[in-house]
Amino acid sequence: MEFRVLGPMEVRDADGAPVDVGGPRQRTVLARLLVAGGRVVSVDALIEDVYGDAPPVSALATVQSYVSHLRRAIEPDRPARGRPRVLVGRPPGYTLVAENVDAARFTDLVERAEFLPPGQALAAVEQALALWRGSPYEEFWDAPWALTEVSRLRELRLVAVERRAQALLDLGRPQAVIADLEGETAADPLRERLWYLLALALYRTGRQADALAVLRRAGNTLAAHLGVRPGPTLRALEDDILRQVESLGPVPPRVVLEPVEASTPQRAMPEPAERAVLGRDRP
């Protein structure tokens, strides 16, 4: 089974077909176990997360029935009295032993990319970002038990975006970075690393004035929202761009247009013809 949480929660079987995991409360039980990442979630915590502060008298029996239905859905080949291998009962509750979870795959790819050379790092983060289908745990994003994990995944996605941009810059492809980072800085205008990479990419495409304008916009944004100046990294980049220091990397050479010399000799202009004077004969 494949569990997908980087968007609306989905479960897919080995053939890629969707698996019906029940209604909202049963889906909440599954999502809560997925958020736990293999740790045990107590029955009391499941009841509170499903029903809030006012659980019905039948809450325990109902949650147990949800677990039973989920087991049938995600372990269809398990014998009737066979021991569960995926949704396992462990005092004081349950744990989900799932090997194929997109969030876990995503995390591993992004973390490994930090130590890979640029070409391999680019492949890893692009594979990781391709797993995203929307907001993580989309239908549960504001549930108290999901907030920490949703925030972690969103932060890690920004790290992946930044590592992708850095890898492209290291590979000499700054133009491929610009459009993506313009969208990301608009969505997360307080993240200085995104502004830094965008300004650097613009500079390396020969757009020094645009790079400086981006850094000014970053400074204005930080001042307006947080009342602070840009950090030392952004200030140092602005100074380096103004001085065009070599450490910023290659910049496309300026094209100087030379006057084109004539490829064929010019024809001599004919001598002006002697003008006739009206009313007089030539001598």
Side-chain angles (χ1 to χ4, degrees), residues 6-55:
L6 298 178
M9 189 180 68
E10 295 179 353
V11 180
R12 301 269 173 167
D13 65 18
D15 298 323
V19 175
D20 182 5
V21 290
R25 285 178 174 164
Q26 189 164 302
R27 291 172 64 84
T28 299
V29 171
L30 178 59
R32 180 66 182 87
L33 293 169
L34 282 164
V35 163
R39 297 182 298 275
V40 174
V41 180
S42 71
V43 173
D44 289 342
L46 285 174
I47 290 173
E48 181 179 351
D49 295 336
V50 169
Y51 292 105
D53 296 331

Side-chain angles (χ1 to χ4, degrees), residues 78-121:
R78 182 171 61 90
R81 296 186 179 276
R83 178 175 296 181
R85 291 173 294 129
V86 180
L87 207 171
V88 180
R90 289 183 183 163
Y94 301 95
T95 182
L96 191 71
V97 184
E99 296 180 355
N100 192 357
V101 183
D102 60 354
R105 243 178 12 260
F106 170 78
T107 299
D108 179 62
L109 286 165
V110 178
E111 290 178 348
R112 282 197 292 115
E114 182 180 3
F115 307 102
L116 296 174
Q120 295 178 29

Side-chain angles (χ1 to χ4, degrees), residues 73 88 91 166 181 196-197 254:
V88 180
Q166 187 64 64
L181 289 184
Y196 177 94
L197 292 165
R254 295 181 179 179

Side-chain angles (χ1 to χ4, degrees), residues 205-207 251-260:
T205 57
R207 297 166 60 182
V251 180
R254 295 181 179 179
V255 178
V256 179
L257 297 178
E258 299 288 346
V260 179

Side-chain angles (χ1 to χ4, degrees), residues 185 188-190 195 215-228:
T185 52
D188 283 277
L190 304 182
W195 290 110
L215 292 173
R216 284 195 297 272
R217 190 161 76 247
N220 292 337
T221 300
L222 292 168
H225 288 81
L226 302 177
V228 299

Side-chain angles (χ1 to χ4, degrees), residues 79-162:
R81 296 186 179 276
R83 178 175 296 181
R85 291 173 294 129
V86 180
L87 207 171
V88 180
R90 289 183 183 163
Y94 301 95
T95 182
L96 191 71
V97 184
E99 296 180 355
N100 192 357
V101 183
D102 60 354
R105 243 178 12 260
F106 170 78
T107 299
D108 179 62
L109 286 165
V110 178
E111 290 178 348
R112 282 197 292 115
E114 182 180 3
F115 307 102
L116 296 174
Q120 295 178 29
L122 178 61
V125 292
E126 287 190 334
Q127 185 181 347
L129 290 168
L131 295 171
W132 279 69
R133 299 172 292 109
S135 179
Y137 290 94
E138 192 164 284
E139 63 196 277
F140 309 104
W141 69 271
D142 59 346
W145 50 267
L147 290 176
T148 299
E149 178 65 358
V150 169
S151 297
R152 182 189 75 84
L153 290 169
R154 286 177 173 170
E155 167 67 20
L156 197 57
R157 181 193 164 277
L158 288 173
V159 172
V161 169
E162 292 164 355

